Amino acid sequence: MNEQLIEKITKMVVEKLQTSNLKTDDRDNDNKQMPVMLFQETLVGNHFTEETVRATPDGNVKFFDTALEDKKPKSVNLQASKSKPVIEESNKEAYLADLRKKTPARIVVGRAGTRPKTATWLQFRFDHAAAVDAVYGEVPQEILERLGFLQFHSKVLDKEEYIRRPDLGRRLSDDSKKMVAEKCQRAPRVQIVASNGLSAKALEVNLEDVYLSLEQSLNNLNIEMGTTIYVDKGRVALMDEIGEILQPDVVIILIGERPGLVSAESLSAYICYKPRIGTIEAERMVVSNIHKGGIPPVEAGAYLGTVIQKILKYEASGVSLVKKEG
């Protein structure tokens, strides 16, 4: 709208209101200095005052009702919607079933009195047994032989000691240390290590796909691989000692994750640039949750190749890599 026309209309409205107030109010002349207050009252929502303005004698004043309609409260519909139930009772089970499909977690499983339902309880027992089997299981020999992994041992003697003594899982046994130095290629660009860790099932299910995909990715990037090795009952920091012995630029260890009650087949890949004994955890990188319900193994292997390429480019890993990338 034209600003001059607005100013003219405003002045006419104010003058008209002041004139009408003088006829009905006997107060002194100070009250004539309140046009602003009168105009504000009109804008706030006194629609009847605006209707009076329409009746100006010259007929040039015209107000549009669109602005007034916008000021109508919208809370009427909101209040009405709040009063309605969120879920119709007849659709409740379908709604809960849809929620259960969105996550493998145990949600809205219901109960019978104070106890879980029979099916829920049996599934819980099954998943717990699968987690125990994953911890105490062994990686099938045929998989390691098919992939050509040389096999070595940490200082741990059995699973009970492995759980109680993490420090022993971070070191090679004396015999394995000598064999690694004798049989493995020295100073490769990338050294690949696999270990059952806390889930042999994770390697049984995912190792082949991850390794073959990673191998292909490194070959495509022209990155040299060393002798691939498997260490029974190893921990993540085992890569430090292997780094000391073989002096690779990058060590990647594929290791079984601690099993849970949703999946006992999850694999992790820890990567570090020139790991040596005393390396701090901030220098390591990890890609975790590799399994059919998380990161697909084949995609994970290809992705790990690109991560290693970046580590070699910046000659850093972990927090140091983030700082160099800016």
Side-chain angles (χ1 to χ4, degrees):
M1 184 177 289
N2 192 326
E3 293 183 0
Q4 293 180 352
L5 179 60
I6 294 174
E7 184 178 358
K8 184 179 177 180
I9 293 171
T10 304
K11 186 180 296 183
M12 291 173 60
V13 171
V14 172
E15 289 175 356
K16 185 172 181 62
L17 291 173
Q18 287 176 342
T19 304
S20 61
N21 284 339
L22 286 174
K23 291 179 181 178
T24 56
D25 193 350
D26 295 330
R27 285 179 289 186
D28 54 23
N29 294 331
D30 292 341
N31 288 339
K32 296 180 180 179
Q33 301 176 358
M34 302 174 62
V36 176
M37 292 296 297
L38 292 173
F39 184 66
Q40 288 179 340
E41 289 175 0
T42 302
L43 290 178
V44 166
N46 190 349
H47 301 170
F48 296 102
T49 304
E50 292 180 352
E51 292 295 335
T52 304
V53 174
R54 284 191 180 123
T56 51
D58 55 9
N60 293 328
V61 180
K62 184 178 180 181
F63 285 89
F64 296 94
D65 294 334
T66 53
L68 298 176
E69 291 176 356
D70 291 339
K71 293 180 180 179
K72 290 181 180 178
K74 298 180 179 178
S75 59
V76 176
N77 293 333
L78 293 177
Q79 291 174 355
S81 63
K82 289 180 180 177
S83 63
K84 295 180 180 178
V86 177
I87 308 171
E88 296 293 341
E89 191 63 29
S90 58
N91 297 328
K92 186 175 180 180
E93 183 54 38
Y95 177 75
L96 297 180
D98 184 59
L99 287 180
R100 285 192 289 267
K101 291 179 182 177
K102 297 181 184 300
T103 173
R106 291 174 173 78
I107 61 171
V108 292
V109 293
R111 62 183 180 180
T114 58
R115 295 182 176 182
K117 292 181 178 178
T118 302
T120 303
W121 176 245
L122 291 176
Q123 185 64 46
F124 175 84
R125 294 290 301 272
F126 177 83
D127 292 339
H128 183 265
V132 174
D133 288 346
V135 173
Y136 288 93
E138 300 293 339
V139 180
Q141 284 292 318
E142 56 269 24
I143 294 178
L144 300 176
E145 293 173 358
R146 185 163 62 242
L147 297 177
F149 279 73
L150 295 183
Q151 299 181 42
F152 303 101
H153 297 274
S154 67
K155 287 189 173 181
V156 175
L157 298 178
D158 54 43
K159 278 290 181 180
E160 296 299 332
E161 187 177 56
Y162 177 79
I163 295 171
R164 289 185 285 104
R165 295 288 305 273
D167 56 316
L168 298 181
R170 299 177 186 131
R171 292 289 183 271
L172 291 168
S173 64
D174 294 338
D175 291 340
S176 295
K177 192 183 300 184
K178 294 177 182 176
M179 293 174 64
V180 167
E182 294 173 358
K183 296 186 176 181
C184 296
Q185 178 183 343
R186 294 187 64 82
R189 292 282 279 169
V190 177
Q191 175 64 50
I192 299 178
V193 182
S195 180
N196 48 357
L198 282 167
S199 175
K201 190 70 174 178
L203 267 69
E204 179 182 347
V205 176
N206 304 302
L207 178 61
E208 190 163 9
D209 288 341
V210 174
Y211 172 73
L212 294 177
S213 178
L214 173 60
E215 182 184 38
Q216 184 177 6
S217 177
L218 293 176
N219 289 335
N220 292 337
L221 296 170
N222 294 320
I223 298 174
E224 177 198 16
M225 292 171 47
T227 308
T228 52
I229 62 177
Y230 169 80
V231 181
D232 186 47
K233 302 179 184 64
R235 297 275 180 174
V236 173
L238 183 70
M239 63 168 59
D240 298 347
E241 187 168 37
I242 294 174
E244 288 278 356
I245 298 171
L246 300 179
Q247 302 288 312
D249 289 336
V250 173
V251 175
I252 175 171
I253 181 168
L254 307 172
I255 190 168
E257 290 182 3
R258 186 189 309 275
L261 293 176
V262 173
S263 175
E265 303 173 354
S266 187
L267 184 75
S268 285
Y270 288 82
I271 316 169
C272 188
Y273 179 73
K274 290 186 175 180
R276 304 291 185 264
I277 292 177
T279 297
I280 61 175
E281 298 304 313
E283 299 303 317
R284 305 189 207 280
M285 304 177 68
V286 61
V287 177
S288 61
N289 205 31
I290 302 172
H291 59 97
K292 61 183 178 182
I295 304 175
V298 176
E299 292 183 19
Y303 174 70
L304 290 171
T306 61
V307 173
I308 291 172
Q309 184 187 34
K310 186 184 298 183
I311 290 173
L312 292 171
K313 175 183 176 183
Y314 289 97
E315 297 183 344
S317 59
V319 175
S320 299
L321 177 62
V322 174
K323 289 180 179 177
K324 288 190 176 183
E325 280 187 308

